[in-house]
Amino acid sequence: SYELTQPPSVSVSPGQTASIPCSGDNLGDKYGNWYQQKPGQSPVLVIYEDAKRPSGIPERFSGSNSGNTATLTISGTQPMDEGDYYCQVWDSNTVVFGGGTKLTVL
Amino acid sequence: QVHLVESGGGVVQPGRSLRLSCAASGFTFSGSGMHWVRQAPGKGLEWVALIYSGGGNQFYADSVKGRFTISRDNSNNMLFLQMNSLRADDTAVYYCARGPIGFADYWGQGTLVTVSS
């Protein structure tokens, strides 16, 4: 079965750029999607189909996908961006999630 | 706006069954695929099942295949998850989510299922 790998944690200073990678075999051949989840809340879609932002998601969130790595980038990171981030793909009629990355803004 | 409300969670003994429901509103339910996704306490997201808009196609995670059944009632804008032969490792918050097939764009608040004797 297909697997996605994320680092367990990423730290960033307020106002700086955070990059969260997600790796998988030939991931660039699939669409990468990203979700944000804050403690006690349901996940929220922040990027879909590699680089598209749903309505209401701030422009500081962007995505890219090439080769074996998809990346979620948060420019000008704010304290409110702290939370867990999950990458996800659709493969062989199944949804696959990465293990999640805890983003700390300090 | 899109609104998804899960219900039916609770405490159940191992080996027993439970049926989850998800009430949908604010969009054309009959035109949307729907997912169930779960999250064990302190763990990451795990996809459970997907049903296409017409209900004719269903897909499952290997961990629940043969035990869980996803279904829908498009007349009443309802999504269901029938869970049989429950195990301790099925303990999780269960979310219903609206899908385009490849991802989930709106999620409910979740319902907690605890499998314990």
Side-chain angles (χ1 to χ4, degrees):
Chain A
S1 60
Y2 195 77
E3 293 186 359
L4 294 172
T5 301
Q6 300 180 236
S9 62
V10 167
S11 297
V12 64
S13 299
Q16 299 304 301
T17 297
S19 294
I20 301 176
C22 172
S23 63
D25 286 344
N26 298 312
L27 180 50
D29 293 339
K30 310 177 192 299
Y31 276 134
N33 310 297
W34 291 90
Y35 303 86
Q36 175 196 66
Q37 186 179 33
K38 298 181 181 181
Q41 299 185 19
S42 301
V44 173
L45 180 70
V46 293
I47 292 290
Y48 68 100
E49 294 180 351
D50 294 340
K52 298 176 181 177
R53 269 182 298 105
S55 174
I57 300 302
E59 291 184 8
R60 65 180 180 274
F61 287 86
S62 63
S64 63
N65 186 11
S66 179
N68 294 321
T69 304
T71 303
L72 175 68
T73 301
I74 309 173
S75 304
T77 308
Q78 299 185 7
M80 69 171 64
D81 298 328
E82 269 202 353
D84 296 324
Y85 290 83
Y86 296 89
C87 60
Q88 175 259 310
V89 298
W90 171 252
D91 177 79
S92 301
N93 291 327
T94 65
V95 170
V96 180
F97 286 101
T101 297
K102 183 177 186 61
L103 177 67
T104 301
V105 183
L106 44 67
Chain B
Q1 71 278 24
V2 175
H3 201 44
L4 300 167
V5 180
E6 302 92 338
S7 61
V11 180
V12 61
Q13 293 179 329
R16 303 299 291 265
S17 299
L18 203 61
R19 188 193 198 205
L20 305 183
S21 301
C22 172
S25 61
F27 65 102
T28 304
F29 181 75
S30 60
S32 295
M34 296 294 296
H35 300 269
W36 285 101
V37 179
R38 69 184 181 183
Q39 187 170 34
K43 302 298 185 182
L45 301 174
E46 180 188 15
W47 175 75
V48 173
L50 161 70
I51 187 167
Y52 279 16
S53 58
N57 294 81
Q58 306 98 36
F59 302 98
Y60 298 92
D62 287 344
S63 58
V64 306
K65 202 172 294 183
R67 299 187 301 123
F68 290 10
T69 302
I70 188 171
S71 63
R72 63 192 298 159
D73 177 356
N74 284 346
S75 298
N76 291 296
N77 294 350
M78 294 292 296
L79 176 72
F80 305 102
L81 185 68
Q82 177 67 42
M83 304 185 295
N84 298 332
S85 302
L86 282 162
R87 312 186 303 221
D89 62 359
D90 294 318
T91 294
V93 173
Y94 285 74
Y95 297 100
C96 71
R98 189 181 80 165
I101 302 307
F103 58 93
D105 59 359
Y106 288 94
W107 299 59
Q109 86 289 345
T111 187
L112 176 62
V113 173
T114 303
V115 183
S116 174
S117 54

